[in-house]
């Protein structure tokens, strides 16, 4: 099958490689000409398109064009593509768009005879070898038409044991891709996936932080009005090896996961994680998850806390902390103590 791919970044380029390995032809476009040339040389069966006009011209109708670009660039890209494509062509957004934008785009494009599919794509930089988990929304017949593409990108069953009884269910979920429902459904499911990811990452990070500080009883502590005394220092006399703890947890524990695998790799390579400053970004999905939880009146304590922790990691709590410090000084003359990492 033929697919146009716009956006050859960390995921887009690897998706093209995986598709061409499976025998599909990809027409590839990116803002950077050198990136296009490098990929075409590596992914046999791909064709370069240095302009959108060139991409559309090289494709056979009905075209399927996959956008693997930041959410903020999707609308401008669709605006540029609409005059070039034809009735019954398909535009696929495989990034992390807000599902409400998908609903709007699908409606707008339908009036022009163009189909729109939203695909929440998970797999990151490991997807080339592992495959990409895909959560898909849009018109069901169009999604079925694109099945060879989704199947080639998906990880397949691999060596993961089958869920007891699922052999009677059928469908594609076991293969690693799923039609989730009408427009926006794919990105809605991916939005919640990423919200959960925030919570899981925060749980691992906080737990490892507590383990790392379990030697606090072995350290000297200032005795003044600004320092909470450690009542039982003998209870905190442990020098834990976080690298080894992560490794043993990977072997049969109930909290084993791919995120833990990646954490173990990072700690093995650099136990102090010295190349990281601790600034944790959020690209929108966590915020949208919490908004959906509010609209649905569903409590989401862990996911909310994980999102706010990311804000704090970027210094967004600094002013609020200064306000608290100012109040303590005003009512009690409390002076700030130097911050010790």
């Amino acid at each position: 099958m033929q697919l146009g791919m716009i956006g050859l970044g960390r995921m887009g380029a690897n998706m093209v490689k995986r598709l061409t390995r499976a025998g599909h032809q990809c027409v590839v476009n990116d803002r950077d000409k050198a990136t296009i040339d490098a990929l075409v040389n590596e992914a046999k069966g791909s064709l370069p398109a240095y302009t959108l006009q060139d991409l559309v011209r090289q494709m056979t109708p009905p075209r399927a064009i996959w956008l693997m670009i930041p959410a903020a660039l999707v609308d401008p890209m669709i605006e540029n593509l609409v005059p070039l494509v034809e009735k019954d062509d398909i535009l696929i957004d495989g990034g992390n768009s807000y599902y409400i934008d998908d609903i709007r785009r699908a409606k707008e494009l339908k009036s022009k005879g163009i189909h729109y599919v939203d695909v929440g794509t998970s797999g990151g930089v490991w997807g080339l070898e592992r495959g990409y988990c895909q959560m898909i929304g849009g018109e069901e017949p169009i999604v079925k038409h694109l099945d060879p593409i989704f199947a080639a990108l998906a990880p397949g069953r691999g060596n993961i044991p089958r869920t007891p009884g699922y052999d009677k269910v059928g469908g594609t979920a076991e293969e690693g891709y799923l039609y989730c429902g009408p427009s926006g459904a794919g990105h809605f499911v991916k939005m919640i996936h990423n919200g959960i990811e925030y919570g899981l990452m925060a749980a691992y990070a906080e737990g490892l932080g507590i383990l790392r500080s379990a030697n606090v009883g072995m350290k000297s502590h200032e005795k003044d009005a600004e320092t909470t005394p450690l009542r039982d220092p003998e209870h905190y006399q442990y020098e834990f090896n976080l690298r080894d703890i992560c490794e043993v947890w990977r072997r049969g524990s109930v909290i084993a996961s791919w995120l833990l695998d990646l954490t173990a790799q990072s700690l093995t390579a650099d136990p102090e994680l010295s190349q990281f400053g601790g600034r944790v970004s959020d690209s929108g999905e966590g915020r949208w998850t919490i908004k959906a939880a509010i609209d649905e009146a569903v409590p989401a304590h862990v996911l909310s806390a994980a999102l706010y922790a990311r804000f704090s990691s970027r210094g967004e709590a600094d002013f609020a902390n200064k306000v608290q410090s100012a109040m303590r000084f005003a009512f009690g003359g409390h002076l700030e103590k130097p911050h010790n990492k």
Side-chain angles (χ1 to χ4, degrees):
M1 191 171 181
Q2 188 183 56
L3 181 77
M5 179 67 75
I6 298 176
L8 307 178
R10 289 173 295 180
M11 290 181 69
N14 281 343
M15 291 169 74
V16 168
K17 294 173 188 175
R18 189 170 177 90
L19 287 168
T20 54
R21 286 179 184 177
H24 297 286
Q25 183 187 67
C26 293
V27 184
V28 299
N29 171 267
D30 191 88
R31 291 183 295 185
D32 182 51
K33 180 180 181 296
T35 298
I36 297 173
D37 292 338
L39 180 59
V40 169
N41 286 335
E42 187 173 352
K44 304 306 178 185
S46 58
L47 302 173
Y50 302 110
T51 66
L52 297 182
Q53 292 86 345
D54 195 22
L55 180 137
V56 172
R57 180 183 56 78
Q58 294 186 76
M59 297 189 68
T60 303
R63 304 170 183 85
I65 301 174
W66 189 302
L67 312 182
M68 207 62 190
I69 57 180
L73 302 180
V74 173
D75 278 330
M77 181 59 71
I78 290 176
E79 186 176 343
N80 290 332
L81 282 169
V82 164
L84 305 176
V85 297
E86 300 174 346
K87 183 178 180 293
D88 289 331
D89 284 352
I90 307 164
L91 300 184
I92 308 160
D93 179 8
N96 282 325
S97 286
Y98 192 19
Y99 78 96
I100 291 176
D101 291 333
D102 294 320
I103 297 171
R104 169 182 54 80
R105 290 169 187 153
K107 184 177 180 180
E108 292 172 351
L109 291 170
K110 185 176 183 180
S111 68
K112 298 176 172 61
I114 302 167
H115 303 287
Y116 179 82
V117 175
D118 53 283
V119 183
T121 312
S122 182
V125 296
W126 298 85
L128 175 59
E129 301 302 330
R130 290 171 59 103
Y132 299 89
C133 175
Q134 299 155 89
M135 297 140 270
I136 308 161
E139 304 163 81
E140 191 167 7
I142 301 303
V143 172
K144 287 183 178 178
H145 169 72
L146 295 169
D147 188 80
I149 296 296
F150 300 136
L153 289 171
R157 293 181 190 174
N159 58 4
I160 299 174
R162 301 190 77 176
T163 300
Y166 205 88
D167 57 314
K168 299 179 179 64
V169 176
T172 63
E174 281 190 309
E175 302 299 326
Y177 67 104
L178 178 68
Y179 174 66
C180 299
S183 295
H187 278 146
F188 193 104
V189 175
K190 179 58 162 42
M191 174 182 78
I192 304 305
H193 165 285
N194 283 23
I196 292 171
E197 180 183 292
Y198 283 27
L200 292 172
M201 292 173 68
Y204 282 125
E206 291 177 9
L208 290 170
I210 296 169
L211 285 169
R212 187 173 186 268
S213 294
N215 62 356
V216 66
M218 303 168 66
K219 300 177 181 179
S220 60
H221 300 274
E222 296 182 48
K223 295 178 174 59
D224 54 48
E226 302 302 310
T227 304
T228 302
L230 182 64
R231 294 180 61 88
D232 300 295
E234 66 274 16
H235 294 169
Y236 301 96
Q237 298 286 323
Y238 303 110
E239 293 276 11
F240 289 122
N241 186 312
L242 302 188
R243 175 201 63 201
D244 292 348
I245 289 172
C246 283
E247 191 61 33
V248 76
W249 281 351
R250 294 181 61 222
R251 312 292 172 173
S253 86
V254 297
I255 63 168
S257 74
W258 187 37
L259 286 173
L260 183 61
D261 294 345
L262 298 176
T263 304
Q265 291 176 29
S266 296
L267 288 171
T268 298
D270 178 9
E272 295 300 317
L273 302 179
S274 56
Q275 63 177 307
F276 300 102
R279 185 187 190 281
V280 187
S281 298
D282 75 288
S283 55
E285 298 89 341
R287 304 182 190 210
W288 304 333
T289 296
I290 303 311
K291 183 183 184 305
I294 292 169
D295 290 344
E296 297 170 7
V298 175
H301 309 291
V302 172
L303 307 190
S304 298
L307 175 64
Y308 290 134
R310 292 194 176 201
F311 296 166
S312 294
S313 78
R314 306 196 298 262
E316 302 294 349
D318 288 357
F319 182 74
N321 291 336
K322 289 180 180 180
V323 171
Q324 293 186 70
S325 187
M327 287 189 285
R328 292 189 78 246
F329 178 74
F331 68 65
H334 299 280
L335 298 174
E336 289 187 356
K337 297 191 67 173
H339 177 66
N340 295 317
K341 291 189 176 180

